[in-house]
C-alpha cells in the first residue's frame, strides 16, 4: 500500500505528455508531406517546360496553366509564377500551422540543353575512340 498515488500521477501527467508528443509528431509529418508535394510539383513544372513553349516565348503561360495544389490535403496554397531573363520560377505560400514560403527557380534556355547535348556527344566520341 506504499504506492497509493502512482497511477493517478501517471494518468494525469505522463499520458497527456505522451499524447501531446504524438500529436506534435503527426503535425510535423503533415507539414513535411505538404511541403514535399508542393516542391515536387513546382520542380516538375519548372524543369519540364516543353521546347515549343520556349520557342514561342510562352513559358509563363505554361507555368500558369499547371495545377500545383494536387496533393495539398490540409493547408491552402497560393502560387505565383514568373519568367524573366531566362529564369522561370514559382513562388508559393503554404498556409498550414503558419505561413511558409516555397520557391523553385530554373534557367530555361537553349544553352543548358546544348551543353547537355555537347557533354553527351563528347562521351560518345570518347567511347568510340577507345
Amino acid at each position: 500500500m506504499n504506492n497509493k498515488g502512482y497511477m493517478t500521477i501517471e494518468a494525469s501527467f505522463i499520458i497527456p505528455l505522451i499524447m501531446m508528443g504524438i500529436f506534435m509528431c503527426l503535425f510535423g509529418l503533415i507539414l513535411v508531406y505538404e511541403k514535399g508535394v508542393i516542391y515536387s510539383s513546382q520542380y516538375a513544372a519548372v524543369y519540364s517546360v516543353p521546347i515549343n513553349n520556349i520557342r514561342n516565348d510562352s513559358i509563363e503561360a505554361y507555368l500558369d496553366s499547371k495545377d500545383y495544389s494536387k496533393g495539398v490535403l490540409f493547408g491552402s496554397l497560393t502560387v505565383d509564377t514568373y519568367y524573366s531573363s531566362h529564369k522561370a520560377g514559382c513562388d508559393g505560400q503554404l498556409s498550414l500551422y503558419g505561413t511558409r514560403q516555397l520557391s523553385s527557380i530554373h534557367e530555361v534556355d537553349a544553352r543548358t540543353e546544348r551543353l547537355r547535348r555537347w557533354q553527351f556527344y563528347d562521351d560518345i566520341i570518347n567511347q568510340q575512340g577507345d
Side-chain angles (χ1 to χ4, degrees), residues 6 10 13 21 48-49 74 83 88 98-100 107 110 117:
Y6 176 72
E10 180 180 336
F13 293 114
S48 65
V49 177
F74 300 102
Y83 177 69
T99 304
R100 284 155 184 82
E107 182 180 358
R117 252 194 322 261

Side-chain angles (χ1 to χ4, degrees), residues 3-65:
N3 296 329
K4 265 191 166 173
Y6 176 72
M7 292 303 284
T8 306
I9 292 173
E10 180 180 336
S12 63
F13 293 114
I14 296 174
I15 298 298
L17 287 176
I18 291 172
M19 295 297 286
M20 280 180 33
I22 290 171
F23 285 124
M24 293 299 289
C25 288
L26 287 175
F27 290 144
L29 288 173
I30 289 170
L31 180 64
V32 168
Y33 170 76
E34 297 283 333
K35 285 174 61 175
V37 166
I38 294 167
Y39 272 132
S40 67
S41 62
Q42 284 182 350
Y43 284 132
V46 170
Y47 278 86
S48 65
V49 177
I51 192 73
N52 290 335
N53 292 75
I54 295 172
R55 288 181 184 153
N56 298 336
D57 201 25
S58 61
I59 295 171
E60 193 165 2
Y62 171 77
L63 292 175
D64 284 338
S65 68

Side-chain angles (χ1 to χ4, degrees), residues 104-118:
S104 306
I105 300 172
H106 177 63
E107 182 180 358
V108 178
D109 193 2
R111 270 190 314 218
T112 56
E113 303 305 321
R114 284 192 303 250
L115 179 61
R116 289 188 190 114
R117 252 194 322 261
W118 292 339

